[in-house]
Amino acid sequence: QVQLVESGGGLVQAGGSVRLSCAASGRPFRSYHMAWFRQAPGKEREFVGSIIWSGGSTEYADCAKGRFTISRDNAKNTVYLQMSSLKPDDTAVYYCAASPRAWGRDRYDYDYWGQGTQVTVSS
C-alpha cells in the first residue's frame, strides 16, 4: 500500500506556470506507475498524464501535450507535474494516483489516490 500527498496548488494567472508535487510513502515508490488526473466542478475526473515506474516513458492527454510535463524522482519518492501556459480551463482539483500494473489513461487502473490539490487559473 502507498500513501500519496499532493502539494503545490494555488491561484495563478492565465499564462503562468505552477509545479505540483506528489510525495509517496509506504511500499517502495519504484513499484508504482504514477499518473495525474484532474476534476473540475461538475465534470468527470479526467486523465492528464502518466509516467512509467522508471520514468522512461510518459503519456499525456491532448489537453496537456506541449504545456505540461510529468516527471518523477524515485530517490525522493516524488512525482511532479510541471504546468505552463495555463488557461482558465485548467482550473480543477489535481490528483496523483499510483498503480502497480498499468500506466494508461483509465482511472480504474489506479489503486491509490491522493487527496488532491486545487489549481485555480484566473483570466
Side-chain angles (χ1 to χ4, degrees), residues 7-122:
S7 61
L11 178 64
V12 61
Q13 288 189 330
S17 299
V18 67
R19 188 177 80 161
L20 306 183
S21 300
C22 173
S25 61
R27 289 188 60 187
F29 183 59
R30 63 177 62 246
S31 298
Y32 295 93
H33 310 302
M34 300 297 295
W36 287 94
F37 288 77
R38 68 185 185 184
Q39 188 166 18
K43 294 187 177 181
E44 294 286 321
R45 190 169 298 189
E46 65 173 353
F47 172 78
V48 175
S50 61
I51 187 166
I52 200 170
W53 71 272
S54 65
S57 294
T58 55
E59 184 175 354
Y60 295 96
D62 288 345
C63 64
K65 288 179 181 177
R67 299 190 301 129
F68 297 180
T69 302
I70 187 170
S71 61
R72 64 189 294 162
D73 186 337
N74 286 346
K76 295 183 178 180
N77 294 344
T78 303
V79 62
Y80 304 97
L81 182 67
Q82 178 69 48
M83 303 190 289
S84 60
S85 301
L86 284 163
K87 308 172 184 178
D89 284 349
D90 294 318
T91 295
V93 177
Y94 284 73
Y95 298 89
C96 69
S99 171
R101 61 188 174 278
W103 60 291
R105 299 168 179 253
D106 189 343
R107 58 184 286 192
Y108 297 105
D109 283 334
Y110 295 87
D111 298 328
Y112 304 103
W113 294 81
Q115 83 289 349
T117 186
Q118 175 72 46
V119 174
T120 302
V121 183
S122 63

